[in-house]
Amino acid sequence: MRPLHPLRWIAGPMLMAILATWLLTVPLKVFGLQLPEPVWALAPLFAWAVIRPSILAPFAVLAMGLALDQLWGGAIGQWPVALLIAYGAIFAARPGLVGQSRPIMWAWYAFACALALGAAWLIGLMDAGGRPQVVGMVWQYLATLLAYPFADYLIERFEDADVRFR
Amino acid sequence: MSFRDSRFGEVKVPLAWTAAVALIVAGVVALALLMTDRRETFQAEAYGPARQAADGVLAPVGEVLSAPIRWIGAGVNGVRGYFFAVSENRRLKRELAEARQWRNVAVAVQDVNERYRDLLKLRTDPPIPMVSARVVADSRGPFANTRLANAGSEAGVKVGNPVMSEEGLVGRVMGVTRDASRILLLTDTASRIPVMIDRTNARAILTGDGSGHPQLAYLRGRDPVKVGDRVLSSGDGAVFPRGLPVGTAVRGVDGTWRVALDSDRDAIDFVRILQFVDFSQLVNEAEMAASDRPPPPTEPPAPPSTGPGIPSRTAAGQPPPVKTPAVKAPAAKTPSTPPAKAATAPAKAATPPPKPAAAPAAKAPAQPAEPPQ
């Protein structure tokens, strides 16, 4: 069986996450409410850390973080650092994660989201000198949790695709 | 010869370890980028070429992506206008009746204001040119609140320019490309704007925290603000012109004073970018350059008590005319140009008839009394 090609499990999901983020930057208000802004990048990030160790994945996480900074106009480096912290944590916990049931994986995904948003909050606090509002962060966290099916789909599809990491 | 065939091809490194090294390298790169970011400095050079290139791509694509949203919005408004035409007509008639009353008041107040300005020789700020732009992207998370507008340096937009909607202040430009500009909203955590309370003239710094209602920080005085007070830009620090509508003071659930932004009432579609950089642009440079400076003194100046142009209390035995302080008032209000003009006036009285070039300068003191804006 041929090894898993990075274009399939890294580049594709990365572009999809960036595109989804980009689409939700459309200026739209429905009944006075704006569109949610989940951190889509956390879904492929979680899947990459679970599927297999990779040299390319951390750089893909870096690229996704930079794309978020560009799209949202935040401080350059804020989201790369926050996402890499989450990726590193899940990657370190990978031996205990593989093969767990879906609810447990969702819980780990929630942990990764909390870690990334917490890191982004701390960076925002240090960088801008102002304390980002926690309520807004909680809403973004909840919206991001709903993106787990995307991560689950990637894990189901690619976890067994490379026989060397079964 | 391929890598596998070389003598290093037999070296086996655990993939987990190399992945960990890659993670560390990526982390170092990310940290270095974070350390070098200076977006909060509002300097044109701090907005790097990568950001400019990205915004240059995002703006036209965002415009295309948001086009269906605009069409749908226009369609919904059309349907709503059709079904609610009668109630809207009633509302508009009521508003028109109120507006007519306010128009009469405004005419009277404007007349009084013009007369006061004439009396005080008060110089008002000239109108500031502005550029209209369409918002093509909008980020609204807890960490970054920015918008991308489709007008850039080609339209004369510069970093630091204030941005308004139809209702009130939105933010300021933090980065500019040729065709697009990135607007930092008042709600962003990096936003700090000097404001004042209209009722009490109390000053504060409007501090964004990612929520919809930015906080009023550094409020001074006893009871400087009440719920419902109007909040305007103060003009302090030459960041914004004075008097731009910002919002209404409200009490937050955390007990702090916050501002319900006027711009929130509006749809996110069009913005006006004021081409205001600082107060130096409000000075008429040509007029300053053309102003007639006093000639160098050829003899020691006479003592003030015997000067011909200044009424002498001892000589006349009367108090000075009442109008004298009113002449000095503009000099205190406008430190740049009027002092020079005030200095020229007595000198001309003692010198030969002015040259032709001096004529505009002689008329100059009357110019500040022109109707404002």
Side-chain angles (χ1 to χ4, degrees):
Chain A
M1 187 182 239
R2 63 192 170 90
L4 188 56
H5 199 280
L7 274 178
R8 286 174 60 209
W9 75 290
I10 290 183
M14 181 176 82
L15 290 176
M16 285 165 70
I18 291 172
L19 191 66
T21 309
W22 193 351
L23 281 175
L24 286 179
T25 62
V26 169
L28 176 66
K29 262 187 180 179
V30 182
F31 302 114
L33 298 172
Q34 293 179 320
L35 293 174
E37 199 171 62
V39 188
W40 285 106
L42 277 160
L45 170 157
F46 182 78
W48 294 338
V50 170
I51 290 168
R52 54 163 283 195
S54 165
I55 300 169
L56 286 178
F59 295 104
V61 173
L62 177 71
M64 277 199 306
L66 288 173
L68 290 194
D69 289 338
Q70 296 286 357
L71 286 169
W72 290 343
I76 292 287
Q78 181 180 26
W79 279 108
V81 171
L83 295 180
L84 281 168
I85 287 172
Y87 177 82
I90 299 301
F91 181 68
R94 181 179 179 271
L97 270 174
V98 176
Q100 296 278 359
S101 65
R102 187 166 288 150
I104 298 295
M105 294 294 272
W106 203 325
W108 274 99
Y109 174 73
F111 168 71
C113 293
L115 209 57
L117 287 170
W121 189 86
L122 275 176
I123 293 166
L125 185 70
M126 289 187 289
D127 181 62
R131 187 183 297 173
Q133 206 207 24
V134 178
V135 175
M137 205 177 75
V138 170
W139 282 116
Q140 191 171 38
Y141 176 71
L142 294 175
T144 309
L145 285 188
L146 296 178
Y148 177 72
F150 180 36
D152 185 58
Y153 166 77
L154 293 175
I155 292 169
E156 290 295 319
R157 175 143 187 222
F158 296 115
E159 194 176 22
D160 290 334
D162 195 333
V163 291
R164 295 173 298 171
F165 296 95
R166 272 184 187 167
Chain B
M1 186 172 67
S2 68
F3 181 79
R4 285 180 190 278
D5 296 333
S6 70
R7 56 182 172 163
F8 296 107
E10 296 301 317
V11 178
K12 301 286 184 192
V13 181
L15 184 57
W17 286 99
T18 48
V21 170
L23 177 62
I24 290 166
V25 171
V28 169
V29 172
L31 274 174
L33 289 169
L34 183 63
M35 296 290 182
T36 53
D37 182 75
R38 293 186 297 138
R39 79 169 182 144
E40 69 281 356
T41 58
F42 289 97
Q43 293 171 344
E45 62 271 17
Y47 204 74
R51 286 196 152 191
Q52 289 184 353
D55 284 353
V57 173
L58 291 176
V61 180
E63 201 166 348
V64 172
L65 287 178
S66 60
I69 304 292
R70 287 200 305 275
W71 298 334
I72 293 169
V76 169
N77 283 340
V79 172
R80 188 185 294 166
Y82 182 79
F83 283 107
F84 297 99
V86 175
S87 60
E88 192 169 7
N89 193 27
R90 283 196 200 113
R91 184 179 59 81
L92 289 173
K93 277 182 178 171
R94 199 169 51 245
E95 282 183 13
L96 184 64
E98 284 176 17
R100 278 189 180 134
Q101 293 173 6
W102 279 110
R103 186 188 59 187
N104 296 335
V105 173
V107 168
V109 169
Q110 189 182 14
D111 179 57
V112 172
N113 266 336
E114 283 174 7
R115 294 185 65 184
Y116 281 156
R117 284 181 189 135
D118 283 345
L119 287 171
L120 294 170
K121 301 280 186 287
L122 194 67
R123 177 187 284 265
T124 53
D125 296 341
I128 299 166
M130 58 179 80
V131 175
S132 292
R134 180 184 286 145
V135 173
V136 293
D138 173 41
S139 79
R140 54 208 166 268
F143 308 112
N145 287 253
T146 63
R147 286 180 190 170
L148 197 62
N150 67 348
S153 56
E154 205 171 54
V157 179
K158 289 180 180 168
V159 171
N161 284 166
V163 182
M164 296 187 70
S165 69
E166 288 173 19
E167 301 283 346
L169 194 64
V170 171
R172 59 177 148 164
V173 174
M174 64 180 288
V176 179
T177 66
R178 202 172 67 88
D179 296 319
S181 47
R182 176 74 68 173
I183 303 162
L184 186 79
L185 303 187
L186 297 177
T187 51
D188 189 279
T189 51
S191 174
R192 306 280 187 280
I193 303 294
V195 293
M196 64 179 183
I197 311 302
D198 190 26
R199 184 177 58 83
T200 59
N201 220 20
R203 298 303 208 264
I205 300 291
L206 189 70
T207 308
D209 62 354
S211 69
H213 296 164
Q215 197 176 345
L216 281 173
Y218 305 110
L219 263 171
R220 295 294 174 90
R222 184 175 292 177
D223 296 331
V225 61
K226 287 180 182 170
V227 172
D229 276 353
R230 296 283 308 145
V231 180
L232 310 171
S233 64
S234 69
D236 297 337
V239 178
F240 286 166
R242 182 190 163 103
L244 300 180
V246 176
T248 310
V250 293
R251 181 73 91 167
V253 288
D254 54 353
T256 58
W257 283 106
R258 292 177 176 272
V259 176
L261 297 175
D262 287 345
S263 56
D264 273 355
R265 291 188 231 137
D266 215 1
I268 314 166
D269 47 6
F270 286 97
V271 290
R272 292 180 295 170
I273 302 173
L274 275 60
Q275 292 174 313
F276 173 88
V277 180
D278 57 43
F279 288 103
S280 66
Q281 77 179 95
L282 300 182
V283 175
N284 189 338
E285 299 281 350
E287 186 184 308
M288 281 183 74
S291 67
D292 192 23
R293 293 182 184 283
T298 53
E299 57 188 29
S305 60
T306 57
I310 300 173
S312 168
R313 181 187 288 268
T314 53
Q318 297 288 329
V322 181
K323 284 186 177 178
T324 308
V327 175
K328 285 180 180 175
K333 291 270 183 187
T334 54
S336 51
T337 46
K341 289 168 191 165
T344 56
K348 278 178 192 164
T351 50
K355 299 174 286 182
K363 288 179 182 173
Q367 286 179 349
E370 286 175 356
Q373 303 187 20

